[in-house]
Amino acid sequence: MFTGLSAFPLTPLIQDTVDEKAFAALIDRLAAAEVHSIGVLGSTGSYMYLDREERRRTVELAVRQAQGVPVMAGIGALRTRDVLRLADDAQRAGAAAVLLAPVSYQPLTDEEVYALYAQVSRHLSVPLCVYDNPRTTRFAFGDELHARIAELPQVRSVKLPGVPDDAAQARVRVEALRALLPDAMRIGVSGDRLGAAGLLAGCDVWYSVLGGLFPTACLDIVRSAQAGDAEKALRLSAELAPIWALFERHGSVRAAAAIAIRQGWMDASGLPLPLKPAALPEIRHIAPLLDRLG
Amino acid sequence: MFTGLSAFPLTPLIQDTVDEKAFAALIDRLAAAEVHSIGVLGSTGSYMYLDREERRRTVELAVRQAQGVPVMAGIGALRTRDVLRLADDAQRAGAAAVLLAPVSYQPLTDEEVYALYAQVSRHLSVPLCVYDNPRTTRFAFGDELHARIAELPQVRSVKLPGVPDDAAQARVRVEALRALLPDAMRIGVSGDRLGAAGLLAGCDVWYSVLGGLFPTACLDIVRSAQAGDAEKALRLSAELAPIWALFERHGSVRAAAAIAIRQGWMDASGLPLPLKPAALPEIRHIAPLLDRLG
């Protein structure tokens, strides 16, 4: 489950409720492209903005539409009680794995984060992916903590926020982390502009926002990297540079939303307020690229 | 309403549910001490960890126990839809004011934050206090944004995260901000170790965590500052230095919880997991100080 391309779709809203039709259509595209897994309710899927029923329903819909592609569901919440409830809901709805970030309001200590993963992992019957995203959680994992958490039951993957830009340094980084983790742990890269670099550096899986919009283009990158064609993987990724710049400037959820709105896949009110999509004039500049991808 | 001592109590839990008896007893202490206002569901009151019904009930209980002392309620949430619902609930429960922080998961832009305050303030019939707390919200207000938000209807106070340590610099800071804000705006200081300094620098109100535990000691500081006795206000504050150090080291909510547990005012399971109170051995070191205050 934790290999290849894991595509992270938006959860489109329309007038402040989940647009189930638009969401189902996004999942259809991913299933048709045969991505290796689908990660619903990630940061791009607005999980922290949706209530329990919206999240339950979203997982249920994704599993129904995914045509057998395994679905991983984000279960992060500020309070452990709520994480446990969301874990139950996701498992009942058919999620094949769960994704858990140490979301915080009060900055968390290492001990608090370890205890959270210990309690949740004991409670699970499906695999768990550790979601390391300091930009949104404001928690910085150290490698020692990653190694301790990786020993817990059900913990099978880690979603890293990126790898170093330099190829040699990226490989050193991934190898150093792998040496600390149990063999069964699958290492994933995110931060889409680093997807190709991460896979070439030895990551097992690319947890990808753009994969949730343009799965075929991202699968081309994954297949090139897996075949050892570094030159092609990096060239395909570099062709998407205007999109990576947009992600960088506005955050990937706002950029992905602006693209989905432009493509007609999501209503203009598709993000949960107070979040607003990136401004459309910027999207117009990359219209030819989007037309080719879409 | 936005003057003097605004005391911010904990919301004690017991085995993961709100301990209404313990909470009512905390409010009783504040009402008996005649604090100028009570700020429930602040960061110390764990607002971001409680669900809508827990929050509604907490405001209701506070208003009932407050013996006429005005109650301000935190209404922050990640999603604007939820902020509006919490505003309705707080007003119906009798809150005299609301406190709103630009809570984030995805880091917010200035425009998103302004639009949030604009939408919520239009919706309110009670005054609003802008909660500027970059440590928990990860949003950094600029003065220009403070000034724009202060022009919105119902916006009447701002809760600053602190003032400069140096007395002259603190006064310059408060005067510079006041010059940008409408006359009716009340400027509040928080970060308890800076309470005395803030009042002496010209702040109207001290939004105080320790005030939620030891209102009498904090009122002594406020009255000294208001009477212009800077020496006494600063001396009283300095006597609490071991407590400020504990706040600094563990975050004020964990320190306040450890104190409340030690005083027998809250169960050891009083914070919402994954949060844990500061370790009790550290509290033992300041036992004589706590005995004197309690």
Side-chain angles (χ1 to χ4, degrees), chain A residues 40 63 119 133 206 212 252 279 281 284:
Chain A
V40 298
V63 171
Q119 190 172 352
N133 186 352
W206 176 17
S252 52
R284 265 185 242 126

Side-chain angles (χ1 to χ4, degrees), chain A residues 57-70:
Chain A
R57 179 74 183 142
T58 300
V59 181
E60 193 174 78
L61 267 172
V63 171
R64 183 197 298 168
Q65 296 294 128
Q67 299 177 44
V69 175

Side-chain angles (χ1 to χ4, degrees), chain A residues 1 31 88 90 177 197 262-264:
Chain A
M1 139 123 230
D88 288 340
L177 185 59
R262 189 265 177 191
Q263 300 293 96

